Amino acid sequence: MAITVEKLKINFKTLEEFKKFKEYGAQELSMLEDLEANMVEDDSHSPFYGIYFGDKLVARMSLYRRDARFDQYFDPPQDYLELWKLEVLPGYQQKEYGKRLIDYAKKYKMPIKTNPRMNSRAFFEKMGFESVTYEMDRDRGENPLVWYPEGVSEQKHS
Amino acid sequence: MAITVEKLKINFKTLEEFKKFKEYGAQELSMLEDLEANMVEDDSHSPFYGIYFGDKLVARMSLYRRDARFDQYFDPPQDYLELWKLEVLPGYQQKEYGKRLIDYAKKYKMPIKTNPRMNSRAFFEKMGFESVTYEMDRDRGENPLVWYPEGVSEQKHS
């Protein structure tokens, strides 16, 4: 079966599938409220991408374009992607689903910033992500990792 | 034994104790590098506060004052505290150490913002923290909870 990354349509079925992921949180609860309030179905303006195995969602990530004026990570400052909630369900790991999602994100050829749990740092480093110099006022409790496309480097602060 | 909250001095001993906490991450690694590079001992300009049981650090949090110009959460906009890495070691939980840390933070009478793991939301809600309306460009993958001192309310965005 071919593995394809799809932009997820936010509907009650998708939100039900999201509950299986550990990082289910305020974002999903907010989408659920929006659905319930407006009875909008199949909202495709979501930042979620995922991989289905048959009709089961087994991997997902959220990918969001941030404007250059918020860029504190990259040189030259530019629009970049923020990636969060990258997660593969237990039983579907070690099958490169995570790598497929990352490859999908890299295709935009924009810098990527993420804040992974410490136990997934090794995975991100294997995917070419690098640490940045920690700065408390910017990074606070985060563990930022970034991916640089060609021609982009770390933004240096004094 | 009286429970007291102390501002932590960052030295090799403290950083060794930090390794026992799950949320050990980029911030601690950065502090370790600074210590190793400068051979500064007992740096007291750290944002960490903790509780010792005997000479063992059993609970900690990081508390950081953010300037009003970054305030996207509170009305009126103002300086506020960002709280992260609140954690009590296993075996020392259910003894109100977490509550003591929160009470300490509240004494500043400034609004507090945190981004707890979903499984500690119940604790924060018991401490009087409330959800804010989720906004993707502000909150991204976070699960923000805030505490309002008297006279402060949620900042409304259109």
Side-chain angles (χ1 to χ4, degrees):
Chain A
M1 187 155 35
I3 299 171
T4 52
V5 174
E6 299 175 33
K7 193 166 194 352
L8 300 181
K9 283 185 183 165
I10 299 305
N11 51 38
F12 289 108
K13 181 176 175 297
T14 309
L15 285 172
E16 198 55 40
E17 303 227 63
F18 279 179
K19 288 184 185 164
K20 294 177 201 145
F21 292 81
K22 272 190 214 163
E23 300 275 350
Y24 187 91
Q27 184 179 16
E28 291 85 346
L29 290 169
S30 162
M31 293 189 301
L32 185 58
E33 275 173 29
D34 287 350
L35 267 185
E36 285 170 344
N38 307 316
M39 299 199 256
V40 180
E41 270 281 334
D42 290 338
D43 178 7
S44 60
H45 300 286
S46 104
F48 280 101
Y49 297 81
I51 295 171
Y52 285 93
F53 184 84
D55 63 353
K56 183 182 178 182
L57 182 68
V58 297
R60 70 163 193 177
M61 68 174 170
S62 192
L63 206 57
Y64 185 72
R65 185 178 183 137
R66 294 212 90 194
D67 192 275
R69 74 201 139 104
F70 300 115
D71 181 4
Q72 299 182 80
Y73 292 96
F74 304 104
D75 181 28
Q78 58 198 282
D79 285 13
Y80 67 101
L81 295 175
E82 222 170 295
L83 186 160
W84 65 82
K85 300 195 184 195
L86 176 79
E87 193 175 337
V88 180
L89 289 185
Y92 297 87
Q93 295 169 0
Q94 315 300 334
K95 292 175 197 297
E96 304 226 316
Y97 292 160
K99 181 178 187 310
R100 293 299 180 111
L101 288 170
I102 296 284
D103 286 344
Y104 186 95
K106 286 178 178 172
K107 272 187 206 157
Y108 290 95
K109 305 216 182 287
M110 294 167 72
I112 306 172
K113 185 243 159 181
T114 189
N115 170 33
R117 298 192 170 215
M118 286 302 275
N119 60 12
S120 61
R121 279 183 84 85
F123 164 78
F124 277 100
E125 283 166 4
K126 210 168 123 191
M127 296 295 116
F129 283 66
E130 301 172 36
S131 298
V132 293
T133 308
Y134 174 83
E135 292 175 23
M136 192 157 57
D137 57 345
R138 180 190 64 186
D139 300 318
R140 291 158 282 153
E142 292 199 356
N143 303 306
L145 284 181
V146 297
W147 178 76
Y148 304 109
E150 227 180 286
V152 179
S153 60
E154 183 174 355
Q155 192 177 119
K156 299 288 181 190
H157 302 129
S158 57
Chain B
M1 187 156 33
I3 299 171
T4 52
V5 174
E6 299 176 31
K7 194 166 195 351
L8 300 181
K9 283 186 185 165
I10 298 305
N11 51 37
F12 288 107
K13 180 175 176 298
T14 309
L15 285 171
E16 198 55 40
E17 301 226 63
F18 279 179
K19 287 184 184 164
K20 294 177 201 145
F21 292 82
K22 271 191 214 162
E23 299 275 350
Y24 187 90
Q27 184 179 15
E28 290 84 347
L29 290 169
S30 162
M31 293 190 301
L32 185 58
E33 276 173 28
D34 287 350
L35 266 186
E36 285 171 343
N38 306 318
M39 300 200 254
V40 180
E41 270 280 334
D42 289 337
D43 179 7
S44 61
H45 299 287
S46 103
F48 280 100
Y49 297 82
I51 296 171
Y52 285 93
F53 184 84
D55 62 353
K56 183 181 177 183
L57 182 68
V58 298
R60 68 163 193 177
M61 69 174 170
S62 191
L63 205 57
Y64 185 73
R65 186 178 182 135
R66 294 211 89 193
D67 192 274
R69 73 201 142 105
F70 299 116
D71 181 5
Q72 298 182 81
Y73 292 95
F74 303 104
D75 181 26
Q78 58 198 282
D79 285 11
Y80 66 101
L81 294 175
E82 221 170 295
L83 186 160
W84 64 82
K85 299 195 185 194
L86 177 79
E87 193 175 335
V88 180
L89 290 185
Y92 296 88
Q93 295 169 2
Q94 315 300 333
K95 294 176 197 294
E96 304 225 316
Y97 292 160
K99 181 178 187 310
R100 293 298 180 112
L101 289 170
I102 297 284
D103 285 345
Y104 186 94
K106 286 178 178 173
K107 272 187 207 156
Y108 290 95
K109 306 219 181 282
M110 294 166 71
I112 306 172
K113 186 244 158 180
T114 190
N115 170 34
R117 298 194 170 213
M118 286 302 275
N119 60 12
S120 61
R121 279 183 85 83
F123 164 77
F124 278 100
E125 283 166 4
K126 210 167 123 191
M127 296 295 116
F129 283 66
E130 300 172 36
S131 298
V132 294
T133 308
Y134 174 83
E135 290 175 25
M136 191 157 58
D137 57 345
R138 181 190 64 186
D139 300 319
R140 291 158 284 152
E142 293 198 355
N143 303 306
L145 285 181
V146 297
W147 178 76
Y148 303 108
E150 228 179 285
V152 179
S153 60
E154 183 175 354
Q155 193 177 119
K156 299 290 181 189
H157 303 128
S158 57

